Amino acid sequence: MIEKHIVLEDIDPVVFYGVGNSHLQMLKALYPKLRIVARDNVIRVLGDEEQMAAFEESTEKLRQHVVHFNALKEEDILDIVKGKRTIDSVPEGVICYSMSGRPIKPRSANQQRLIEAYEQNDMVFAVGPAGTGKTYLSIALAVKALKEKTAKKIILSRPAVEAGEKLGFLPGDMKDKIDPYLQPLYDALEDMLPQAKLQDMMEKHVIQIAPLAFMRGRTLSDAVVILDEAQNTTPAQIRMFLTRMGWNTKMIITGDMTQIDLPHSQKSGLIEALHILNNVEGIGVVNLTGKDIVRHKLVTKIVNAYEEYDKERINQD
């Protein structure tokens, strides 16, 4: 009899073990000559050497299935253990899967153009109204790169500009003060990565989330770098950010020209950057519209109503 310890890396062990350890109980039934005990992300296995080897192989295939799909069903376990299925690849068109197992993929023509622009260029500007999936798809692309090991880290940033209201003094340390500005980025990451894994990646700086001011002086290499809400950067800020680009790095800059929260006397850096860099080879620009909105259907109506109001006000002026 031999004993081995198998570590479940890069996945949420709760998904692997199943509700009430149902998946683990199934594996115990499928490998009756083994004593299997799981704690956290470590499986301790004791028993027959031949069945141990088969269990190790099946466990790795199941782990890779969870890495891809963030989900595991009883039929998946049976098919993989009995050799009826090879390790599944992510279907064409799917970027990755959410923690609920939902496929994350482009849902409009312009969203597909964003994916293609990312694949063809090292720097992409994605500009459009709220709800068009700019930030969410960008983070999905970054998570995919991390899982496929084409990037070593994800760096997410946005300017700390208040949306039309003064928040005043914020209590706590530096992280507590800046987190309210960065919450949309946390929300997207939590939808795509297990909580424990996300926390571990952030502690090890594999995933870094920081205000734009923290980018100064850095060279960002081997990473997918996303600047969100770029319409609220000044010309100096966005120029500083864009020149942080290092080797083997992709940058995605997202923004919404209708939600500029800078003082009226301050020019948006995003508008200036798009004008200056419009014809630079290696930079892609994707313009999303109200037709690409994937939030509640009322969001589309709200965006359209405000666009009409803005046009009328411009004509009156």
Side-chain angles (χ1 to χ4, degrees):
M1 292 180 65
I2 60 172
E3 180 178 337
K4 285 194 176 182
H5 292 77
I6 301 171
V7 180
L8 300 174
E9 296 180 340
D10 301 327
I11 64 170
D12 183 351
V14 174
V15 175
F16 188 93
Y17 300 146
V19 178
N21 286 335
S22 58
H23 296 164
L24 195 62
Q25 296 303 322
M26 177 179 284
L27 286 170
K28 289 179 179 181
L30 290 167
Y31 293 96
K33 295 182 181 179
L34 300 178
R35 183 170 180 264
I36 302 168
V37 179
R39 184 172 183 179
D40 296 327
N41 68 329
V42 179
I43 302 176
R44 177 172 170 265
V45 191
L46 181 69
D48 178 74
E49 185 173 357
E50 183 178 345
Q51 202 163 96
M52 178 85 72
F55 178 80
E56 276 190 287
E57 183 180 351
S58 295
T59 300
E60 175 57 21
K61 289 179 179 179
L62 292 169
R63 188 195 68 81
Q64 290 188 35
H65 180 92
V66 176
V67 167
H68 283 157
F69 302 101
N70 281 329
L72 188 64
K73 301 175 183 176
E74 291 184 357
E75 53 263 36
D76 299 326
I77 297 172
L78 288 172
D79 287 349
I80 290 172
V81 169
K82 293 182 178 181
K84 295 180 180 178
R85 189 195 305 177
T86 56
I87 300 172
D88 296 319
S89 59
V90 175
E92 187 176 353
V94 175
I95 303 170
C96 61
Y97 284 78
S98 72
M99 288 309 300
S100 63
R102 174 179 55 83
I104 299 171
K105 57 185 178 180
R107 295 170 61 182
S108 71
N110 283 328
Q111 286 189 357
Q112 179 61 41
R113 290 189 187 98
L114 172 56
I115 309 304
E116 292 168 358
Y118 171 84
E119 293 171 347
Q120 296 165 7
N121 301 278
D122 288 336
M123 183 179 292
V124 178
F125 287 83
V127 182
T132 51
K134 306 180 299 296
T135 301
Y136 193 78
L137 284 178
S138 297
I139 291 178
L141 288 167
V143 169
K144 178 184 180 184
L146 206 60
K147 286 187 174 185
E148 295 180 349
K149 303 188 186 306
T150 56
K152 293 181 180 178
K153 55 183 177 283
I154 298 173
I155 300 171
L156 308 173
S157 185
R158 54 164 30 193
V161 176
E162 295 164 354
E165 56 182 321
K166 298 298 180 183
L167 300 181
F169 173 78
L170 292 174
D173 59 18
M174 180 59 72
K175 183 177 183 301
D176 294 329
K177 293 177 189 296
I178 64 177
D179 274 357
Y181 297 104
L182 306 173
Q183 192 57 48
L185 306 180
Y186 288 114
D187 291 344
L189 285 168
E190 287 170 355
D191 194 38
M192 300 176 203
L193 291 168
Q195 183 63 45
K197 185 64 181 175
L198 174 58
Q199 189 66 35
D200 180 62
M201 286 179 166
M202 293 183 70
E203 289 174 358
K204 294 177 179 176
H205 302 291
V206 174
I207 295 177
Q208 303 171 28
I209 305 179
L212 183 58
F214 285 31
M215 296 295 109
R216 187 173 297 279
R218 299 184 64 185
T219 299
L220 309 175
S221 301
D222 299 310
V224 178
V225 186
I226 299 170
L227 174 59
D228 193 36
E229 301 286 358
Q231 77 277 1
N232 287 327
T233 59
T234 65
Q237 283 176 328
I238 199 166
R239 183 174 183 174
M240 175 275 292
F241 175 82
L242 297 177
T243 54
R244 300 305 94 202
M245 193 173 193
W247 294 107
N248 190 37
T249 288
K250 282 183 175 280
M251 278 189 170
I252 307 175
I253 300 92
T254 73
D256 177 1
M257 299 303 193
T258 68
Q259 294 191 17
I260 298 175
D261 299 313
L262 295 168
H264 292 299
S265 60
Q266 180 67 66
K267 185 178 180 181
S268 169
L270 178 59
I271 294 175
E272 183 175 279
L274 288 171
H275 175 70
I276 295 171
L277 304 175
N278 188 44
N279 296 315
V280 175
E281 186 177 352
I283 297 179
V285 179
V286 180
N287 290 294
L288 297 105
T289 69
K291 294 180 180 178
D292 302 300
I293 293 174
V294 291
R295 290 182 185 167
H296 193 287
K297 60 184 179 182
L298 272 178
V299 176
T300 304
K301 295 179 180 179
I302 291 168
V303 169
N304 292 338
Y306 270 95
E307 286 179 352
E308 287 298 321
Y309 172 76
D310 290 338
K311 289 176 184 177
E312 290 176 7
R313 192 172 59 176
I314 291 170
N315 292 333
Q316 289 173 0
D317 293 343

